[in-house]
Structures are given as structure tokens and as C-alpha cells.
Amino acid sequence: MDLKNLTTFIHVAELGSFTKAGAALGCSQSTISFQIRQLEEELEFPLFERINRTVVLTDKGREVLAYAQQVQKMTQQLKQNMHAGSARAVRIRVAMSDSLCNSLLEENFQQFLQEHPGIHLKIIAAGTEEMFRLLDHNEVDAILTLENHIYNTEYVIVREEKAAHHFVAASHSPLAKLGQISPEELVRQSFILTEKGMSYRRQLDEQLAQRSLEINPVLEIGNPHLICELVQQNVGISFLPDFVTEKAVKAGKLIHLEVPEIQVNIWKQLLHHRDKWISPQIDSVLQYCVEKEFRTP
């Protein structure tokens, strides 16, 4: 049932005139007549008696008027509540790789909250499989992955870019004096790595396994930024995304180790489900993630 026809019906009933209703709604009399006729045909009974240019509600018309006024009131309340809701706290849920949490929150996050006082952000650190489970069950609004490139028409890619990775060591490590390192020599080193099966760690393990090689790390921990600090202390070497190690490399605290036989292709992707309604608040969070996590095109 067209709400516009109900609104027209209320005006005709309250004003007792098609002409006056047209003037109030800014429509011609023929348009008003057409809308009332549509409503009568849909309900399958007349709403007005039209006798000698008078317009009087039928008994059924009076019943419909009571319902129409309730619908109009509820519609107005809905609009008011939705506008008022924009000022209420809205929880936005984003699942992401643990490696990406620091860069999202370390700078300007307070400014973001000040500019968007109605947003409460919930960040869930999860593996890729769990992220997509949450997304498919509408338990998160978006995900930020660090994984193989994902092609799936079920999801909308907001932004993506290839994420470079390197083996890293402390600048004062003996390995800093070496040139290229073979995989066989590499696995003999003391490693600090993220948990087994996590995105870039998984790809690294797979490539080594193809050569019948395996790394047995001295420490496995989920926080890549802590790993970066430990590598700077020469506790061991690691394999980390450049966005984690970039500052330390520029400061001369870490160096990249050249292992040309190991090439890992990882993509950073911000996605949401194609059926997800992107509210202004969700869009604000997505744009903040793009600003913090991706290079300017």
C-alpha cells in the first residue's frame, strides 16, 4: 500500500474536499482523484460518497481513516527516532588481523572519536577464517584482512593493496654483514614468529615445506609489534610486514635480509558483505580505516 495515497486520503477526509486537499499537497485535483481511486481499488470498497459536490466518508472510509492516521503517526515517529538515533551511540564492529591493530589506533584515533561522538568502535582480532565467519553471520560490519588476495562476489572490496614483507634482523646482528641468504641457512637461525597458520606465517611455512625445510621458532606470539621490538634487541630474526618494521628500518635499528628464493604475496583488504547496509557511521569508520591502513593512491 502506497503511503502517499494514505496521506492524500487523510487530507481529503479532514478537509472534506478534493480541491482543498490538492491545494494543501501541491497537487492537481485529477492527481488527488487518481490516488483515491487507486486506494479504493486496492481495498475493493469506496471510501467516500460523492453527492452533489459533497465528499463524505463511508462507514468503511471512517475505519480506514483511523488506521491511516495511526500509520501516519507511526511513520512520523519512525522518522523522528531515526534522526534522533544519529546522535545516539552506535557500535561499529570491525574484525582484523592482529598485525593491523596498532597502525589503526596509534595516531589520530582520539581526534576521530571527537569528530564522531556517536560512534563506539569494537575491534576484534581474529584469523582470516574467523573473520569471514563473523562477516557472513553479520556479527561484524567489516573486516580488514592480511591474506592471499580474496576474490568473492559475496563481498565488496572497499580498498586493497599488496603488503610487502621481509625477513628482518637487528642492525648489529652478524647476519647484517651477509648478502643473500639461502633458505637452508635461514632455517638455522633463531626465529620469533607469529602463530602457525596465520596469513604470512602460513605462506612462509608452505614455501619452506616445498623445500623440505621448517622453522622451529624460539618464540611464537601474536603481536607483531612486540616481535619487532624483540628483533631490535637481537633476540632473534623474524618475517614481518613492512608496515610493522618500517620505522625501525628507517631509524637504522633493523635491516632487511635478502632471501630471494622466498617470495610471499600478501594483500591487505578492507571488505564488507555485499548485502550490508552501510550507514553513515559505518562509512565513517571505513574511511578512517582507509586513511590509516592504506597508502594514498
Side-chain angles (χ1 to χ4, degrees):
M1 186 172 292
D2 193 333
L3 291 178
K4 185 182 294 184
N5 290 350
L6 282 181
T7 300
T8 298
F9 167 64
I10 292 171
H11 276 77
V12 173
E14 292 178 346
L15 296 173
S17 167
F18 281 54
T19 303
K20 291 180 180 177
L25 294 170
C27 301
S28 66
Q29 183 176 339
S30 61
T31 299
I32 298 297
S33 297
F34 175 74
Q35 291 175 339
I36 294 300
R37 186 164 61 252
Q38 274 191 324
L39 188 57
E40 289 179 327
E41 289 174 355
E42 186 173 2
L43 294 172
E44 299 182 346
F45 53 76
L47 297 169
F48 296 101
E49 292 180 344
R50 304 163 178 84
I51 303 174
N52 294 329
R53 296 185 179 180
T54 61
V55 178
V56 180
L57 283 167
T58 62
D59 289 341
K60 287 285 189 181
R62 280 190 287 272
E63 290 183 36
V64 174
L65 179 61
Y67 284 112
Q69 288 171 333
Q70 288 182 41
V71 171
Q72 185 182 58
K73 182 179 179 181
M74 292 175 66
T75 301
Q76 291 172 345
Q77 288 177 342
L78 175 62
K79 290 179 178 179
Q80 291 171 356
N81 288 340
M82 291 302 98
H83 285 299
S86 62
R88 297 176 187 167
V90 177
R91 186 177 66 166
I92 310 299
R93 306 153 302 172
V94 180
M96 64 178 64
S97 166
D98 199 27
S99 301
L100 300 168
C101 293
N102 278 39
S103 51
L104 188 70
L105 303 175
E106 62 186 4
E107 294 179 6
N108 302 327
F109 184 62
Q110 184 177 7
Q111 180 181 345
F112 172 78
L113 292 180
Q114 290 171 348
E115 293 173 353
H116 303 85
I119 290 178
H120 288 183
L121 183 59
K122 180 177 182 180
I123 294 177
I124 302 167
T128 304
E129 185 176 341
E130 175 65 5
M131 285 189 218
F132 281 99
R133 187 196 70 78
L134 293 169
L135 195 62
D136 290 339
H137 289 80
N138 199 30
E139 294 178 35
V140 294
D141 302 299
I143 62 174
L144 187 56
T145 68
L146 197 61
E147 190 52 86
N148 297 329
H149 196 283
I150 295 160
Y151 300 95
N152 192 321
T153 56
E154 290 292 311
Y155 311 113
V156 174
I157 300 173
V158 179
R159 183 67 66 85
E160 63 180 11
E161 67 179 23
K162 199 169 183 179
H165 288 65
H166 282 90
F167 292 95
V168 290
S171 56
H172 56 281
S173 165
L175 295 174
K177 300 176 182 178
L178 300 179
Q180 295 183 355
I181 302 175
S182 68
E184 290 76 13
E185 185 176 5
L186 185 75
V187 297
R188 291 196 290 268
Q189 309 303 316
S190 296
F191 265 90
I192 306 170
L193 294 174
T194 55
E195 297 101 322
K196 203 172 185 66
M198 295 295 286
S199 60
Y200 50 91
R201 165 73 191 276
R202 185 184 67 253
Q203 281 204 34
L204 171 61
D205 287 341
E206 288 172 355
Q207 290 204 27
L208 289 172
Q210 292 173 7
R211 297 170 172 81
S212 300
L213 298 173
E214 182 180 10
I215 292 174
N216 293 305
V218 296
L219 175 64
E220 291 178 286
I221 187 169
N223 188 331
H225 296 275
L226 179 56
I227 293 175
C228 182
E229 292 179 10
L230 292 171
V231 173
Q232 292 176 58
Q233 299 170 26
N234 203 24
V235 175
I237 67 173
S238 191
F239 182 68
L240 292 169
D242 285 1
F243 61 80
V244 173
T245 62
E246 184 177 17
K247 289 182 179 179
V249 171
K250 286 183 177 179
K253 297 178 180 179
L254 290 180
I255 59 161
H256 291 163
L257 301 176
E258 298 300 324
V259 189
E261 293 181 54
I262 303 295
Q263 298 295 326
V264 171
N265 293 312
I266 294 291
W267 284 78
K268 188 189 298 185
Q269 292 181 291
L270 178 63
L271 309 100
H272 64 77
H273 198 280
R274 68 177 183 184
D275 297 327
K276 182 70 180 180
W277 176 62
I278 303 302
S279 67
Q281 293 89 349
I282 294 176
D283 186 62
S284 295
V285 172
L286 292 177
Q287 295 310 310
Y288 177 75
C289 290
V290 168
E291 176 188 336
K292 298 298 294 180
E293 298 287 356
F294 295 86
R295 295 185 298 269
T296 303

